[in-house]
Amino acid sequence: MNEVFSSSVLKVEQPRRGPFAKSRYKVLDGGGAVLAIAAPTDDEGRAEMRGVFGGKSNLDARAVVLTTPDGDPVVIVDKQRGREYTEILTPEGDAFGSFVTERVGRRYVVYDGEGTLIGAVSVDVPRNNFEVTDTDGAKVAHVRKKWAGLATHLLTTADKYAVEIFDPVPEPLRTMAVMTAIVMDMNLHEAKEIT
């Protein structure tokens, strides 16, 4: 997966959409070239209880599959019901890593696919800055939610994130750092949808 997310500067963007639309994202490099596109999975992931109306991130489970622009699958982000657990899966459905809530909205721990602790994500009070660290506490990435204006913030789900990777960052932590933008959006920012 390192070849898809090899840029040290990335952008993660959501297109503007209606209130009942589901999670969609684009991952771009620093120059604006699209590296991956995320859309809801056909089977909505492996979570057990899906809501009738998607959108309340603290209630509903949801899953998105990231593909290259050519349609080759990269990873699946499977957000479980609530905010406690989000799993990153390989295209074949095997565990690649996970984000586990340590303090809701403030700190998440990051594991690899075998359950070994590989890092953490610290969240600032407004939930706009996410610092990704390794197990030694060294900062490996910074993810920042960009302010898009009051109307965009209140009335749409069109969020934009800037991801800066402090190379070298080994796999799987590098891919997990990039996925931080999507995971934090699904867990903390999609609840503003009207359902």
Side-chain angles (χ1 to χ4, degrees):
M1 283 178 233
N2 194 16
E3 63 276 355
V4 176
F5 305 124
S6 62
S7 178
S8 60
V9 177
L10 299 154
K11 300 174 196 170
V12 177
E13 300 178 351
Q14 285 181 289
R16 291 179 186 256
R17 57 203 158 97
F20 296 107
K22 296 183 181 180
S23 303
R24 295 189 183 278
Y25 301 91
K26 289 190 299 186
V27 180
L28 305 99
D29 67 14
V34 176
L35 303 174
I37 301 163
T41 62
D42 292 336
D43 65 358
E44 288 300 310
R46 301 187 316 189
E48 294 176 7
M49 299 177 67
R50 306 285 175 189
V52 175
F53 297 104
K56 298 296 185 191
S57 66
N58 59 342
L59 300 175
D60 291 343
R62 59 181 59 208
V64 295
V65 60
L66 271 77
T67 62
T68 64
D70 295 332
D72 297 325
V74 179
V75 295
I76 300 165
V77 179
D78 189 9
K79 180 200 158 308
Q80 304 295 306
R81 185 175 177 88
R83 296 180 180 181
E84 289 76 34
Y85 186 75
T86 303
E87 190 170 26
I88 309 301
L89 306 168
T90 66
E92 298 76 31
D94 298 323
F96 181 79
S98 60
F99 292 82
V100 179
T101 301
E102 191 172 76
R103 289 190 306 268
V104 173
R106 298 292 173 248
R107 184 171 164 81
Y108 298 80
V109 288
V110 182
Y111 295 94
D112 68 12
E114 305 200 348
T116 303
L117 180 69
I118 59 171
V121 178
S122 299
V123 184
D124 69 353
V125 173
R127 298 178 179 178
N128 291 329
N129 287 285
F130 309 93
E131 184 175 285
V132 182
T133 56
D134 63 17
T135 54
D136 295 326
K139 187 174 177 178
V140 298
H142 181 86
V143 178
R144 181 174 57 90
K145 182 178 183 283
K146 295 181 176 183
W147 177 250
L150 187 60
T152 299
H153 177 75
L154 293 176
L155 301 175
T156 74
T157 57
D159 293 321
K160 294 183 178 187
Y161 296 82
V163 180
E164 183 178 6
I165 307 288
F166 305 115
D167 284 318
V169 179
E171 285 293 352
L173 186 55
R174 181 186 193 85
T175 295
M176 297 299 282
V178 176
M179 292 302 101
T180 297
I182 294 173
V183 171
M184 295 302 123
D185 189 76
M186 292 172 81
N187 276 285
L188 302 175
H189 292 289
E190 285 198 335
K192 67 185 176 184
E193 289 183 330
I194 301 166
T195 58

